[in-house]
Amino acid sequence: MRERITSAARGNTDLVGLLVLLLAVLVAYQHYDSSLLSPASVTILSAQFLPLILAAAGQTTVMLLGGIDLSLGAVLGLAMAVFATYDAHSAGGVVTAVVAALCAAVAAGAANGTLVAYAGLPPIVVTLAASFLWSGVTLIVLPQPGGHVPGGLVNAYNNGWNGLAVPALAITLVLAAWKVLRTTRHGLALYAVGGNEHGAYASGLHTRGTKIAGYALAGAFTGLAGIGLAVQTGSADPTIGTPYTLNSIAACVLGGISFFGGVGRMRGTVLGALVIGLLTNLLLFTGISPFYQLIVQGVILVVALALKTYLTREAAV
């Protein structure tokens, strides 16, 4: 048994290191908030972190294809605006609002994928241009913060529903759905195209179709993040998505997703997002000036990434 655990740890050095970092942050967090592990705190924290986790899941999908999505924050804002501006008392109610927001986000992701796949443009250029485009569209939909989300939905999301932490359940469902997806032809194709596009094409895979579907899937995750953020706050802000672009990339890299595609696991991304979320809260608890919080957060993340890279390299030797 002990040998099996040791062997498993050696094969997952990056995740073990991330778990150790997460444990250290949790211990420090417990010092400032003794109710950290209570059901109420788990519900509140999962409600707070769910948008970042979903955004990071979308970024993971694109990075596994060897790309990067700089339009993620703009698409998140667009989905949030579409969801919160739809009148919940109109036909279809909240369900129609969710479908409309997801359609907008998936269409934005598929457009990015189509340009990358067929125009041959670098993902960083396509998504940078798309970030301006979708930011402008979002401002047309919602020129200033506003919109409305039914109070019952906001309460169930932030305080739980019948004792059930809805955001924590959503995170579990995302991980389960990704585990199933990885075993499908499309899931395997994501890794194959990201790892070796020419080899995947030579093997008979429709590489362009895989890219478009992958970017569309990323749009779906990002759309869900926007909906989650709207439900958490009870309204929408057209510019609130900007920080999610860089934070999602940081969560992916911290979680072991390769910039070169084809390498990484979703559970690593979720752990990375949790570390970033808890670290942000922890810095607020310490009372450090906001001017220095970003510096401290950046230094900790760089040190963590450097240490993780070193341990992974040593394990490979």
Side-chain angles (χ1 to χ4, degrees), residues 9 17 21 24 30 52 64 66 80 85 102 117 138 151 180 207 209-210 219 257 273 282 287 301 307 310:
L21 176 61
Q30 180 86 12
L52 176 58
L64 286 176
M80 187 184 191
T85 53
L102 284 179
T138 303
V180 173
T207 55
T210 300
I257 308 298
L282 186 60
L301 289 177
L307 184 61
Y310 172 77

Side-chain angles (χ1 to χ4, degrees), residues 77-88 93-102 141 148-150 153 223 226-231 235-236:
L78 175 62
M80 187 184 191
V82 170
F83 177 76
T85 53
Y86 184 83
D87 185 359
V94 173
V95 174
T96 303
V98 170
V99 172
L102 284 179
V141 175
H148 175 72
V149 179
L153 190 58
I227 293 169
L229 194 56
V231 177
S235 61

Side-chain angles (χ1 to χ4, degrees), residues 94-132:
V94 173
V95 174
T96 303
V98 170
V99 172
L102 284 179
C103 285
V106 170
N112 286 343
T114 302
L115 285 172
V116 170
Y118 282 95
L121 298 172
I124 193 170
V125 174
V126 170
T127 56
L128 178 61
S131 69
F132 294 108

Side-chain angles (χ1 to χ4, degrees), residues 101-298:
L102 284 179
C103 285
V106 170
N112 286 343
T114 302
L115 285 172
V116 170
Y118 282 95
L121 298 172
I124 193 170
V125 174
V126 170
T127 56
L128 178 61
S131 69
F132 294 108
L133 170 65
W134 299 123
S135 293
V137 173
T138 303
L139 288 173
I140 293 174
V141 175
L142 185 68
Q144 58 188 5
H148 175 72
V149 179
L153 190 58
V154 176
N155 185 55
Y157 180 90
N158 289 301
N159 301 316
W161 180 70
N162 289 333
L164 188 66
V166 178
L169 177 62
I171 295 169
T172 305
L173 289 176
V174 167
L175 286 173
W178 182 261
K179 191 172 182 61
V180 173
L181 176 67
R182 276 200 62 177
T183 62
T184 65
R185 179 179 173 82
H186 177 68
L188 295 173
L190 277 177
Y191 281 86
V193 172
N196 186 344
E197 184 174 351
H198 296 295
Y201 179 79
S203 301
L205 289 177
H206 192 302
T207 55
R208 286 174 171 170
T210 300
K211 284 185 177 181
I212 295 171
Y215 276 82
L217 179 62
F221 279 128
T222 307
L224 289 172
I227 293 169
L229 194 56
V231 177
Q232 183 199 357
T233 60
S235 61
D237 183 339
T239 61
I240 201 172
T242 304
Y244 284 87
T245 301
L246 293 181
N247 281 338
S248 66
I249 295 172
C252 291
V253 176
L254 196 58
I257 308 298
S258 170
F259 270 115
F260 303 104
V263 176
R265 286 168 286 191
M266 188 62 79
R267 58 177 180 265
T269 294
V270 172
L271 289 177
L274 288 176
V275 168
I276 291 174
L278 288 169
L279 190 58
T280 303
N281 283 4
L282 186 60
L283 290 175
L284 290 174
F285 284 146
T286 58
I288 297 176
S289 167
F291 296 108
Y292 297 104
Q293 285 182 14
L294 289 177
I295 297 174
V296 174
Q297 187 176 350

Side-chain angles (χ1 to χ4, degrees), residues 40-61:
S41 288
V42 170
T43 301
I44 293 171
L45 289 176
S46 60
Q48 182 183 346
F49 299 155
L50 178 62
L52 176 58
I53 290 173
L54 289 172
Q59 193 69 259
T60 296
T61 308

